[in-house]
Amino acid sequence: MNGDDEAVAASADPSLPLEWRFSQVFGERSAGEEVHEAGVSSAVDVISAIEFDSSGDHLATGDRGGRVVLFERIDAKNSSGARRDLEETDYPVRHPEFRYKTEFQSHDPEFDYLKSLEIEEKINKIRWCQTANGALFLLSTNDKTIKFWKVQDKKIKKICDLNSDASRTVGNGTIASSSNSNMTSASLLNGGVTDVNNSLPPGGISSLRLPVVSSYESSPVARCRRVYSHAHDYHINSISNNSDGETFISADDLRINLWNLEISNQSFNIVDVKPAKMEDLSEVITSAEFHPTHCNMLAYSSSKGSIRLIDLRQSALCDSHSKLFEEPEATGPKSFFTEIIASVSDIKFAKEGRYLLSRDYMTLKLWDINMDSGPVATFQVHEYLKPKLCDLYENDSIFDKFECCISGNGMRAATGSYSNLFRVFGVSPGSNETATLEASRNPTRRHVPIPSRPSRSLCNITRRGAESAGVDGNISSLDYATKLLHLAWHPSENSIACAAANSLYMYYA
């Protein structure tokens, strides 16, 4: 069976392992080219946020320079509906293709004079809002300020030349305008009108054309509709839209605020974990996400590895949670790094809202919100790095915040790693699917299939896929500077967009 037949079979049976292929890359660097003279960490064009919209036809990226870049899908627009349906019947796996749409400067560097604090322009999160009247709406945030953007195609009119000869048109227009100014000044000085040379070109003008609109061109224009500021004392780490289409939340280390999209000067504090004395602070908020269908429910994670589900109907200030999800405390001695690697860096709800995906430094966990006894599955991502925790602490890599994403059908999840690697796991019951891919034009060149050795229990499944050093070769050869932190899964197709420094790679299966 060839590769195309395998891809068709995989698409027909979603439970079969997927074969990932390279689709596109934007902003790829040539060999040996540096992102910035000062290094990757200070480069303004390094991608810091990725997000698909609900339809999957638009993709937004944010970078360290405060810019938001939009891409639009074109492969679905190139053919009519009937022809596209016939092509999908013959070839179920289509090659997704995006193109650059527009970009705009969302945030600029600021300085807080009251706190003597520099606020960098880096985009921390992007979230798409509901579309209206053909316009795109999205939220973007840096450490302190959230902005609500409207992007809409504006028609630009083209005016044809006044005369058939453009040079004569310009010349005649200049002569006429200068003659009028001379005539006005002469009238003011002498109290009358002087003779002005308004002679026509030799041979005259055979025809005179009035200005006429010849064509229209559409150009996307971004406009900031609202600015939500001065509501967070600490750095914003999350924003999330509500399913009601009217509100959203923003979270920093100690508080979660609820906003109305139409009101920018007022927000409601719904979670506050700040203790009376800061020396009593034991954990901080690391991520927050609204439930995809229930507008009254949201979840937030903490630096201790726990996830709390809260219900806005219980009270105005949701300091008490309705459910607490955390790993049962392991027996045995704890090391200095135990709490650091347990910190949850990202959480994502599955599309239907029953399952919740979380990522800490070492693992990827899947939770059932109806079962708070523990995760239903745990996927080892960085198990092979346990002997290197001291080195990772010394170079601050242990504090890297890796994101996670889950497919639209809830059957697979993906997360990033070092050396521009990312991993895809099958999260459906009974699946042992594991893939290790590299963000490059040849994503499978470093992938060595390793049979999974799951250890199962009634409520917990641990899958040790892709944690072996054999997948990555020598552990010491890992490049901790090239880390794949940000990635997003298409809402309805098996397509992943991921960021490697300033390059955006896209893959499909």
Side-chain angles (χ1 to χ4, degrees):
M1 180 181 290
N2 58 31
D4 293 336
D5 294 336
E6 291 177 358
V8 172
S11 61
D13 186 358
S15 62
L16 292 178
L18 297 179
E19 181 182 351
W20 291 94
R21 295 181 174 88
F22 170 78
S23 175
Q24 279 179 287
V25 60
F26 296 93
E28 187 178 35
R29 291 176 290 150
S30 58
E33 180 184 356
E34 293 294 333
V35 177
H36 193 270
E37 292 180 358
V40 174
S41 60
S42 62
V44 297
D45 52 356
V46 171
I47 297 174
S48 56
I50 302 179
E51 186 77 7
F52 280 103
D53 71 344
S54 59
S55 68
D57 292 335
H58 294 90
L59 175 68
T61 64
D63 62 23
R64 292 179 180 268
R67 296 182 298 266
V68 173
V69 184
L70 303 184
F71 301 88
E72 63 179 353
R73 186 167 183 174
I74 59 175
D75 61 301
K77 299 179 181 180
N78 289 339
S79 57
S80 62
R83 177 182 174 186
R84 187 167 64 250
D85 292 340
L86 290 174
E87 290 178 350
E88 290 177 354
T89 302
D90 295 335
Y91 302 98
V93 180
R94 292 179 55 83
H95 185 284
E97 186 177 356
F98 283 77
R99 70 179 176 189
Y100 169 86
K101 181 178 179 69
T102 187
E103 69 178 86
F104 55 91
Q105 188 70 31
S106 175
H107 290 74
D108 294 304
E110 302 176 18
F111 188 81
D112 188 338
Y113 293 97
L114 294 178
K115 298 182 179 180
S116 297
L117 178 69
E118 290 185 1
I119 304 172
E120 62 178 349
E121 64 272 29
K122 179 175 78 81
I123 304 296
N124 290 340
K125 294 291 181 180
I126 295 175
R127 289 292 182 267
W128 289 91
C129 303
Q130 293 180 358
T131 60
N133 299 324
L136 303 174
F137 296 90
L138 53 89
L139 291 165
S140 62
T141 183
N142 64 353
D143 288 338
K144 296 291 184 180
T145 305
I146 308 165
K147 295 186 179 182
F148 183 46
W149 291 91
K150 176 183 180 181
V151 182
Q152 191 171 27
D153 288 341
K154 295 291 185 181
K155 290 185 177 179
I156 301 175
K157 300 177 181 179
K158 274 191 172 182
I159 310 299
C160 68
D161 294 331
L162 183 64
N163 289 320
S164 57
D165 190 343
S167 61
R168 287 189 177 185
T169 302
V170 176
N172 293 336
T174 305
I175 292 173
S177 60
S178 61
S179 300
N180 290 335
S181 62
N182 291 337
M183 181 172 61
T184 304
S185 59
S187 300
L188 292 174
L189 291 175
N190 302 327
V193 179
T194 59
D195 293 334
V196 181
N197 183 13
N198 267 339
S199 60
L200 296 173
I205 298 177
S206 58
S207 63
L208 179 66
R209 294 190 299 177
L210 295 176
V212 178
V213 177
S214 59
S215 64
Y216 288 90
E217 278 190 358
S218 293
S219 177
V221 176
R223 185 166 64 92
C224 183
R225 294 286 302 274
R226 288 174 186 84
V227 178
Y228 313 90
S229 58
H230 308 299
H232 289 277
D233 293 329
Y234 303 93
H235 290 177
I236 299 173
N237 55 49
S238 302
I239 54 175
S240 179
N241 301 92
N242 198 346
S243 58
D244 61 9
E246 297 179 358
T247 56
F248 71 94
I249 57 170
S250 59
D252 62 20
D253 292 341
L254 299 180
R255 293 186 177 92
I256 299 178
N257 293 332
L258 178 67
W259 301 83
N260 189 297
L261 284 169
E262 302 297 326
I263 303 172
S264 60
N265 59 357
Q266 185 182 35
S267 65
F268 297 94
N269 178 231
I270 57 176
V271 175
D272 189 349
V273 300
K274 184 178 180 180
K277 296 180 180 180
M278 286 300 290
E279 54 264 26
D280 296 333
L281 181 67
S282 60
E283 62 180 335
V284 296
I285 299 170
T286 57
S287 182
E289 188 88 2
F290 256 122
H291 192 278
T293 57
H294 298 316
C295 62
N296 58 287
M297 294 175 60
L298 63 95
Y300 69 92
S301 59
S302 77
S303 57
K304 279 192 171 181
S306 61
I307 301 173
R308 291 172 173 86
L309 190 69
I310 63 176
D311 192 336
L312 298 177
R313 298 171 298 183
Q314 289 182 345
S315 62
L317 186 60
C318 302
D319 287 339
S320 61
H321 53 267
S322 59
K323 285 190 177 181
L324 175 65
F325 305 95
E326 58 184 357
E327 188 89 39
E329 189 171 351
T331 58
K334 295 183 179 180
S335 70
F336 171 75
F337 308 106
T338 301
E339 188 169 323
I340 299 177
I341 62 177
S343 177
V344 177
S345 58
D346 190 27
I347 58 173
K348 290 288 193 314
F349 274 102
K351 190 174 183 179
E352 82 289 343
R354 177 176 175 179
Y355 293 98
L356 183 66
L357 190 70
S358 69
R359 171 69 203 267
D360 56 47
Y361 188 75
M362 304 297 290
T363 64
L364 188 69
K365 294 184 175 72
L366 185 70
W367 307 80
D368 187 339
I369 64 173
N370 297 328
M371 186 181 72
D372 53 5
S373 58
V376 296
T378 300
F379 306 92
Q380 301 294 341
V381 181
H382 283 162
E383 183 74 12
Y384 58 89
L385 292 180
K386 275 189 175 179
K388 307 280 289 183
L389 291 180
C390 288
D391 296 335
L392 295 168
Y393 180 79
E394 290 294 329
N395 60 22
D396 288 339
S397 294
I398 200 171
F399 301 105
D400 289 334
K401 307 299 182 184
F402 291 95
E403 294 181 1
C404 59
C405 59
I406 190 165
S407 62
N409 58 13
M411 299 183 65
R412 295 172 181 85
T415 189
S417 182
Y418 294 106
S419 295
N420 284 342
L421 297 176
F422 67 98
R423 296 188 165 94
V424 181
F425 299 96
V427 299
S428 56
S431 174
N432 289 324
E433 180 180 355
T434 299
T436 301
L437 308 167
E438 183 184 17
S440 66
R441 290 181 178 270
N442 184 12
T444 59
R445 65 179 178 179
R446 297 187 61 166
H447 174 55
V448 179
I450 301 294
S452 298
R453 301 179 300 278
S455 58
R456 301 171 183 269
S457 64
L458 290 178
C459 64
N460 185 282
I461 300 175
T462 301
R463 294 177 189 152
R464 299 181 176 274
E467 85 276 16
S468 169
V471 174
D472 300 296
N474 190 358
I475 297 178
S476 61
S477 66
L478 284 174
D479 185 0
Y480 299 112
T482 56
K483 59 196 75 171
L484 199 152
L485 302 176
H486 312 286
L487 74 172
W489 202 301
H490 191 282
S492 59
E493 299 178 6
N494 287 320
S495 177
I496 295 178
C498 56
N502 66 328
S503 302
L504 175 66
Y505 288 91
M506 305 191 71
Y507 303 93
Y508 74 102

